[in-house]
Amino acid sequence: MIAVQCFGLNGDFLNETIEAGLATTEEAFMYFNGRLSAVDRARIAVWLVRENSMPQNGRRGYLFRGSFMAGARQSIHGQWSSRWVFFLAATGSAVGLGNIWRFPYVTGENGGGAFVIIYLLCVAAVGIPIMMAETLIGRRGRQSPINTMRLLAEDEGVSSKWHYLGWMGVVAGFLILSFYSVVAGWSVAYIFYVGSGVFAQTTVEASAAQFTALTDSAWELLGWHTLFMIMTVVVIARGVQGGIEQAVKWLMPALFVLLLIVVGYAIATGDFSGAISYLFKPDFSEVTANSVLAALGQAFFSLSLGMGAIMIYGSYLPADASIPRTVVAVAVCDTVVALLAGLAIFPIVFAFGLEPNGGPGLVFVTLTIAFGHMPGGQIFGALFFVLLTVAAWTSAISILEPIVAWLIESSGWSRRRASVSAGLGAWVLGIGALLSFNYWAEFTLLGKTFFDWCEFLTTSVMLPAGGLLIAIFAGWRMSRASTMEELGLSDGAIYSTWRFLVQVVAPIGVLAIFVNVLVVFLRDLGVFD
Ligand code: PFF
């Protein structure tokens, strides 16, 4: 016999325990479905179904078995109104500082065209298959990454240890958000700097001094960081449909228009052909093992993979939406935006004879010099930083959402309370990141500040590791039937290609890169040369 319990959002029993001769989980599920209104169903935090035993000590399990159940699951957090909204939200997550701030400078540091080609290969062969895997896992589990992994491991009859993958995502989310919010804060600050004409006729030294003045001032950084974190929390606190969906529905079209304006401006006023040949003429003599690593890490970061952001967005995807088609569209858009960002930035950089390898300051120091000397640079420059801020905002939302969803599920807190708490946690860590530029600049471990460590640990270690585990889980731990059903594919060439990529290509690719990181790391430590 099966016993069924059901918890309400605030942790109380919403329904009495039922031990009413339900023989199978299917029967139990039908029983509940029949008794609860759609609203109740949406509000229930956790379902419990245990064969023969009720869970002890109030621990909340949620064991619905089998594909019948997977198809019938609903997220307690809500659902996107359509596949289109998932596309907007996932693109909003993917397109961010990674595309506009990080991609150009990492490309600049790694020599241009050859790096771009390797990056494109990483996106196609590793990024897209893993993004499909993450989305399908999310939709099948329909809970926060931690609980989804626990549930699907149960579904597939494999070790429940897989839920630690979700935990790594929570840790990675906090670490990413801490430095992300600080850089996003710079971007907000620069809207006002550039818009007020600070950079008119500026020089290289003056622009660098302006950037240093900002990063030197802990209080100012704290102000911008706080503002950005509040913006993020406010959207999340309003819920999936009421907050995130509304935000991306307005912000993503705005982002698109801003991008067109900025690229058009760069093409009209800058050295466009110089940028094209820099970005697309490969010089493979510049490629090192390091740049391959940089390309893969950048692909994970840019596509928001490996920490559960895409997984949680997948958990809100309507059941009838095609995952392969939507995911490919998201990845293509993300890549196009990164390339467009390059096409917006490098023409200006070259037109002014500046260096393309300006590092993290590229957008803030180099580009503003150019804006200061161009017709309309004050307005277009400010628009550029509005673009960067909006892109960062829709990404930050997706970094926090898996954590908030988990807090709601596990503690029964209201969404508002969970959002504020998670935001507060990330805000505190962010203080460490912003102090790395001033008071704590001297506190380094192996030459890296707290900020550097957050960036390194997440982009080079945790996201690739998370992606590797997701690929292994989807490729080797889930049955063909489950993945095929969730992807909506028949057993043909497309499915076989996807499976080959997640089973073999992605894991080998990531592992090879990891060995490399280790070698580089040990060499930097002076273990060998
Ligand atoms: N994809 C985002 C960007 O390119 O800026 C960053 C990001 C978002 C990374 C969400 C990870 C994540 F889960």
Side-chain angles (χ1 to χ4, degrees):
M1 191 177 68
I2 284 178
V4 182
Q5 273 184 323
C6 193
F7 284 101
L9 266 189
N10 38 15
D12 53 335
F13 286 104
L14 203 87
N15 281 69
E16 74 280 18
T17 302
I18 304 152
E19 291 188 67
L22 302 167
T24 64
T25 45
E26 277 81 0
E27 265 184 68
F29 182 78
M30 300 299 265
Y31 180 84
F32 261 113
N33 244 0
R35 281 172 46 120
L36 300 170
S37 70
V39 177
D40 279 343
R41 275 203 303 272
R43 284 184 48 236
I44 288 170
V46 185
W47 302 80
L48 281 174
V49 176
R50 289 242 188 226
E51 301 190 21
N52 296 325
S53 65
M54 299 306 293
Q56 305 299 311
N57 59 38
R59 196 171 161 270
R60 291 154 208 182
Y62 30 75
L63 311 175
F64 272 117
R65 272 178 185 279
S67 59
F68 165 85
M69 291 307 161
R73 279 183 193 129
Q74 293 183 338
S75 169
I76 61 156
H77 309 290
Q79 182 167 309
W80 308 120
S81 312
S82 66
R83 168 175 104 101
W84 171 241
V85 175
F86 169 80
F87 167 76
L88 290 181
T91 308
S93 168
V95 173
L97 296 174
N99 305 60
I100 304 169
W101 163 68
R102 205 168 185 277
F103 178 78
Y105 89 75
V106 176
T107 301
E109 285 176 342
N110 288 282
F115 174 85
V116 173
I117 291 181
I118 299 169
Y119 175 75
L120 294 179
L121 278 177
C122 289
V123 168
V126 179
I128 292 180
I130 292 185
M131 200 177 203
M132 281 166 65
E134 217 180 303
T135 313
L136 85 85
I137 291 173
R139 183 166 74 180
R140 209 166 175 79
R142 293 247 189 250
Q143 301 189 33
S144 66
I146 294 175
N147 287 333
T148 281
M149 289 310 297
R150 212 192 305 255
L151 180 59
L152 292 199
E154 175 74 26
D155 274 355
E156 303 287 338
V158 297
S159 163
S160 68
K161 290 213 175 68
W162 279 98
H163 81 276
Y164 289 117
L165 172 57
W167 277 109
M168 187 167 73
V170 167
V171 175
F174 274 121
L175 293 181
I176 293 177
L177 200 53
S178 67
F179 76 82
Y180 208 82
S181 173
V182 173
V183 177
W186 297 348
S187 177
V188 185
Y190 267 69
I191 299 174
F192 298 100
Y193 290 180
V194 178
S196 65
V198 168
F199 293 98
Q201 305 306 321
T202 190
T203 59
V204 176
E205 293 75 30
S207 179
Q210 180 76 32
F211 185 61
T212 316
L214 171 64
T215 51
D216 272 352
S217 162
W219 285 109
E220 187 173 350
L221 290 181
L222 183 66
W224 297 118
H225 162 60
T226 308
L227 174 67
F228 184 78
M229 198 59 89
I230 291 173
M231 285 161 59
T232 306
V233 167
V234 162
V235 173
I236 301 217
R238 299 172 74 94
V240 174
Q241 277 207 358
I244 307 177
E245 177 162 334
Q246 295 307 319
V248 297
K249 261 172 42 189
W250 290 100
L251 294 178
M252 293 313 288
L255 190 79
F256 182 69
V257 172
L258 283 169
L259 190 69
L260 285 187
I261 295 175
V262 171
V263 174
Y265 173 74
I267 294 174
T269 52
D271 174 5
F272 190 61
S273 64
I276 293 268
S277 70
Y278 183 73
L279 277 177
F280 298 112
K281 242 203 226 133
D283 175 4
F284 282 97
S285 67
E286 296 248 7
V287 174
T288 60
N290 249 338
S291 31
V292 182
L293 161 68
L296 192 83
Q298 173 63 20
F300 275 101
F301 186 75
S302 190
L303 294 172
S304 305
L305 297 178
M307 61 140 285
I310 292 300
M311 200 185 284
I312 195 78
Y313 277 10
S315 78
Y316 307 146
L317 181 63
D320 55 357
S322 156
I323 290 179
R325 273 197 289 162
T326 323
V327 160
V328 169
V330 173
V332 167
C333 280
D334 184 65
T335 307
V336 169
V337 174
L339 294 175
L340 283 180
L343 287 180
I345 290 166
F346 289 118
I348 303 180
V349 170
F350 291 132
F352 284 82
L354 302 166
E355 287 301 320
N357 55 354
L362 183 69
V363 161
F364 297 98
V365 177
T366 319
L367 206 52
T368 41
I369 302 172
F371 284 133
H373 291 265
M374 294 163 95
Q378 194 169 331
I379 294 174
F380 288 100
L383 280 181
F384 175 86
F385 287 105
V386 173
L387 169 78
L388 188 57
T389 302
V390 170
W393 192 11
T394 53
S395 298
I397 291 169
S398 76
I399 302 175
L400 204 56
E401 175 63 16
I403 302 174
V404 169
W406 173 75
L407 273 179
I408 295 173
E409 286 166 16
S410 59
S411 65
W413 286 355
S414 69
R415 177 168 272 271
R416 184 186 282 206
R417 184 164 169 201
S419 312
V420 172
S421 310
L424 210 58
W427 179 79
V428 170
L429 268 184
I431 295 179
L434 67 85
L435 290 177
S436 304
F437 292 92
N438 33 72
Y439 294 108
W440 289 1
E442 308 299 313
F443 292 122
T444 56
L445 185 64
L446 304 174
K448 286 189 192 331
T449 61
F450 181 80
F451 180 98
D452 298 335
W453 272 109
C454 287
E455 197 192 355
F456 172 76
L457 275 180
T458 52
T459 56
S460 293
V461 182
M462 293 174 132
L463 298 186
L468 171 69
L469 291 174
I470 285 165
I472 292 175
F473 186 79
W476 296 97
R477 288 344 243 156
M478 291 182 77
S479 70
R480 285 176 77 89
S482 308
T483 49
M484 222 183 281
E485 180 190 43
E486 209 57 52
L487 290 174
L489 292 172
S490 55
D491 198 358
I494 299 183
Y495 179 76
S496 307
T497 310
W498 172 78
R499 202 167 156 88
F500 176 69
L501 291 173
V502 288
Q503 278 190 325
V504 181
V505 177
I508 291 182
V510 178
L511 277 177
I513 302 289
F514 266 151
V515 173
N516 225 296
V517 177
L518 203 65
V519 171
V520 172
F521 191 69
L522 294 178
R523 198 182 53 204
D524 285 353
L525 274 183
V527 176
F528 56 83
D529 40 37

